[in-house]
């Protein structure tokens, strides 16, 4: 297969990694995009979803945002934002051309898994634990910070993990509108019939996606309060929320 | 060309006007839009069906051999983390710039969701139901087809809906290898700054996803008449 030798030649050539449009720079750009979009989605989505979950209201909203979000192709959304007069294709600092449009599209894309998981996490805290906290005289705010949030944290983090990997994956689509990120290597290779380059880009993106997934899995494990400090046996079962019961099905990847 | 043409108001999709919403565009380019929609629909349906066909034996295998279960789930989840824009190029050396590339890629994504929901659905069948069916003389095959699968259907259908809706959205990325259905129009609309084309194709994508979802919900209601009585 000639494409594979082309791919290897491209990947092993130092020149394709360096420079402003080299793999390294684009990789950094895409990581920056992913992290920024995730942070923006967290700032917007987490407080709202956690508070609604605490109150036990708006479940319909949380679930439906997720369903509607799946039906909207990120490519279409990105296309609309880029062609529209605002934000258009203007550059945004280190994010490059169409940076703002890409950030907005990715943030919207990251919201559904974050909101749904955070809401469900708060609702999944066992009723008896909640009652007990109330019986101990805790106020609503205290229950939220000391009981519900720590117990729901693993599931909240699992939503963030899902969003992280999906945003990384979807960020490549920005290249279809000549936006920032590693997708540029892929689309450039394809449009110039340089398939070796296209496949090299695809390989780098795929490998980083797997690395991010593994890192996020480690963070998720660390976030489980029932694992920290190893509480005595027996007590553990009574307090654990058991995040495995709400195994979020994988959602749409861009 | 004719004087009449000049005298007319410029069409809403001319370079000068470039409206987002334009009925003239839809009327004039009808055949192009219909073709793209049919391609989109075809790729989506074939992908989801292919995913279902592969997922079914995998789920049965994973259920029969618990040791395989984690392997099957790990592999299908691993595939899911690979971005679509990267997966399609990775398939190209084997399948070329054809619709097959897109269908295989999308089927792999659908597979992840479907294997999980099939496993969950089958696991949710109560053990005593299984036992009484065995007591009634059902063999392994009969038990699976006539008892377990119908009871697993609501969970499986929920997974199928998720898979279908996200496949509709993902199909647009197939425009990378020229088989993206409505995605081809979206791409062209972006490249040529053609708002009516971009907007129409985007809206049609969402409409297609909603329509397929409705079809699946209706199919589920028709296939599981007993769940309706239980709710009332």
């Amino acid at each position: 297969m000639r494409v594979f030798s082309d791919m290897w030649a491209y990947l092993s050539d130092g020149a394709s990694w360096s420079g402003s449009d080299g793999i390294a720079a684009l990789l950094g750009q895409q990581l920056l995009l992913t992290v920024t979009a995730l942070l923006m989605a967290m700032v917007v989505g987490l407080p709202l979803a956690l508070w609604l979950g605490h109150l036990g209201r708006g479940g319909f909203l949380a679930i439906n945002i997720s369903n509607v979000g799946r039906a909207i192709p990120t490519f279409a959304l990105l296309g609309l934002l880029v062609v529209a007069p605002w934000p258009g294709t203007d550059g945004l600092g280190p994010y490059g051309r169409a940076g703002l449009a890409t950030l907005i599209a990715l943030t919207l894309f990251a919201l559904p898994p974050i909101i749904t998981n955070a809401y469900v996490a708060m609702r999944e805290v066992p009723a008896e634990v909640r009652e007990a906290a109330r019986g101990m005289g805790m106020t609503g705010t205290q229950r939220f910070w000391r009981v519900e949030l720590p117990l729901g944290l693993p599931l909240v983090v699992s939503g963030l993990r899902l969003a992280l990997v999906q945003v990384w994956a979807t960020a490549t689509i920005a290249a279809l509108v000549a936006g920032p990120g590693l997708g540029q290597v892929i689309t450039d290779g394809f449009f110039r019939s340089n398939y070796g380059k296209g496949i090299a880009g695809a390989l780098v993106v795929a490998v980083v996606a797997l690395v991010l997934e593994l890192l996020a899995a480690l963070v998720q494990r660390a976030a489980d309060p029932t694992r920290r400090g190893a509480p005595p046996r027996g007590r553990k079962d009574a307090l654990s929320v058991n995040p495995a019961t709400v195994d979020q099905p994988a959602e749409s990847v861009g | 060309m004719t004087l009449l043409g000049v005298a007319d108001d410029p069409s809403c999709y001319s370079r000068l006007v470039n409206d987002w919403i334009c009925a003239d565009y839809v009327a004039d380019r009808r055949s192009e839009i219909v073709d793209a929609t049919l391609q989109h629909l075809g790729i989506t349906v074939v992908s989801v069906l292919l995913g279902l066909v592969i997922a079914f034996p995998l789920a049965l295998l994973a259920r029969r051999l618990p040791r395989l279960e984690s392997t099957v789930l790990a592999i299908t989840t691993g595939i899911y983390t690979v971005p679509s824009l990267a997966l399609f190029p990775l398939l190209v050396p084997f399948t070329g710039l054809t619709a097959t590339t897109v269908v295989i890629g999308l089927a792999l994504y659908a597979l992840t969701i479907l294997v999980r929901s099939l496993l969950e659905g089958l696991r949710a069948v109560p053990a005593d139901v299984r036992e009484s069916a065995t007591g009634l003389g059902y063999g392994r095959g009969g038990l699976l087809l006539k008892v377990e699968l119908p009871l697993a259907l609501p969970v499986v259908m929920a997974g199928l809906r998720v898979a279908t809706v996200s496949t509709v959205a993902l199909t647009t990325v197939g425009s990378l290898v020229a088989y993206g259905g409505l995605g081809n129009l979206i791409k062209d609309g972006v490249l040529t700054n053609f708002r009516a084309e971009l907007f129409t194709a985007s809206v049609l994508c969402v409409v297609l996803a909603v329509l397929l979802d409705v079809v699946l919900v209706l199919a589920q209601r028709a296939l599981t008449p007993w769940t309706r009585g239980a709710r009332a």
Side-chain angles (χ1 to χ4, degrees):
Chain A
M1 286 255 181
R2 240 197 80 228
V3 271
F4 285 118
S5 53
D6 284 357
M7 177 196 88
W8 185 244
Y10 184 81
L11 277 180
S12 53
D13 182 7
S16 44
W17 287 79
S18 57
S20 63
D21 56 352
I23 298 176
L26 291 173
L27 182 72
Q29 199 177 38
Q30 186 164 334
L31 276 177
L32 187 66
L33 260 177
T34 307
V35 172
T36 315
L38 192 66
L39 286 178
M40 280 164 66
M42 277 169 73
V43 168
V44 176
L46 270 187
L48 181 76
L50 289 175
W51 191 244
L52 284 177
H54 171 72
L55 296 176
R57 281 187 214 137
F60 179 79
L61 186 78
I63 304 301
N64 277 290
I65 283 179
S66 186
N67 289 335
V68 173
R70 266 198 290 267
I72 299 173
T74 311
F75 179 29
L77 185 63
L78 196 54
L80 290 171
L81 286 173
V82 162
V83 171
W86 188 88
T89 53
D90 291 348
L92 181 74
Y95 301 100
R97 181 184 181 274
L100 187 58
T102 313
L103 273 180
I104 294 175
L106 289 179
T107 303
L108 288 176
F109 183 73
L111 278 176
I114 292 180
I115 289 183
T116 312
N117 267 48
Y119 180 83
V120 172
M122 298 307 271
R123 297 312 304 154
E124 286 291 309
V125 173
E128 62 265 28
V129 173
R130 225 182 278 246
E131 286 293 302
R134 199 191 296 263
M136 286 165 72
M138 286 189 175
T139 64
T141 325
Q142 283 173 328
R143 286 202 303 277
F144 177 83
W145 285 110
R146 298 204 199 153
V147 179
E148 293 169 342
L149 192 59
L151 286 176
L153 200 61
L155 204 55
V156 175
V157 176
S158 115
L160 294 177
R161 169 185 169 186
L162 205 65
L164 170 73
V165 177
Q166 289 180 3
V167 168
W168 167 264
T170 309
T172 51
I173 289 179
L176 289 177
V177 298
L182 270 175
Q184 278 183 14
V185 180
I186 300 172
T187 49
D188 190 61
F190 264 75
F191 294 156
R192 291 168 202 248
S193 301
N194 181 357
Y195 297 125
K197 181 181 178 185
I199 290 162
L203 194 69
V204 174
V205 173
V207 168
V208 177
L210 289 174
V211 170
L212 282 178
E213 168 74 11
L214 285 179
L215 286 179
L218 290 179
V219 172
Q220 188 184 354
R221 190 176 288 190
D224 190 343
T226 56
R227 289 177 53 94
R228 260 200 313 254
R233 278 182 199 175
R235 216 186 110 206
K236 184 179 174 180
D237 290 328
L239 281 177
S240 93
V241 184
N242 191 11
T245 51
V246 202
D247 201 5
Q248 180 81 9
E251 289 181 43
S252 66
V253 177
Chain B
M1 206 154 128
T2 57
L3 279 172
L4 264 177
V6 178
D8 271 348
D9 285 322
S11 164
C12 53
Y13 64 86
S14 76
R15 284 265 160 201
L16 292 172
V17 186
N18 206 3
D19 272 343
W20 289 103
I21 302 166
C22 174
D24 286 352
Y25 162 75
V26 180
D28 293 353
R29 303 279 191 93
R30 216 174 109 201
S31 67
E32 187 185 282
I33 297 171
V34 169
D35 283 352
T37 311
L38 287 180
Q39 191 191 57
H40 203 112
L41 187 67
I43 287 176
T44 305
V45 170
V46 173
S47 306
V48 173
L49 286 181
L50 183 64
L52 196 59
V53 167
I54 305 172
F56 190 57
L58 275 181
L60 288 185
L61 205 66
R63 192 176 65 138
R64 183 69 54 80
L65 308 166
R67 238 191 246 167
L68 264 178
E69 191 190 306
S70 52
T71 318
V72 167
L73 286 181
I75 291 176
T76 49
T77 314
I79 294 171
Y80 211 86
T81 51
V82 178
S84 54
L85 194 75
L87 184 63
F88 293 149
L90 290 175
L91 290 170
V92 165
F94 308 102
T95 50
L97 293 175
T98 57
T100 320
T101 307
V102 183
V103 166
I104 293 179
L106 293 176
L108 285 175
Y109 287 130
L111 188 69
T112 313
I113 304 170
L114 293 174
V115 167
R116 270 173 196 274
S117 57
L118 274 167
L119 267 176
E120 264 168 44
L122 289 175
R123 214 174 271 149
V125 176
D128 41 349
V129 170
R130 217 171 275 154
E131 258 168 51
S132 32
T134 314
L136 283 168
Y138 280 104
R140 252 185 184 168
L143 179 70
L144 179 68
L145 286 178
K146 295 194 180 148
V147 180
E148 290 180 303
L149 274 185
L151 286 178
L153 212 56
V155 179
V156 176
M157 287 300 277
L160 194 62
R161 285 175 61 193
V162 173
T164 307
V165 170
S166 46
T167 304
V168 172
L170 266 184
T171 302
T172 54
V173 181
S175 60
L176 181 69
V177 292
Y179 288 91
L182 293 163
N184 293 345
L185 298 186
I186 294 176
K187 190 172 135 193
D188 187 62
V190 171
L191 290 178
T192 58
N193 191 23
F194 190 170
R195 289 177 176 174
E197 185 179 39
L198 174 58
F199 187 78
T200 311
S202 305
V203 169
L204 278 176
C205 257
V206 177
V207 169
L208 197 61
V210 172
L211 277 182
L212 285 178
D213 201 37
V214 169
V215 168
L216 284 176
V217 170
L218 291 179
Q220 184 183 352
R221 291 191 70 178
L223 286 172
T224 57
W226 60 90
T227 53
R228 254 174 295 161
R231 265 202 177 179

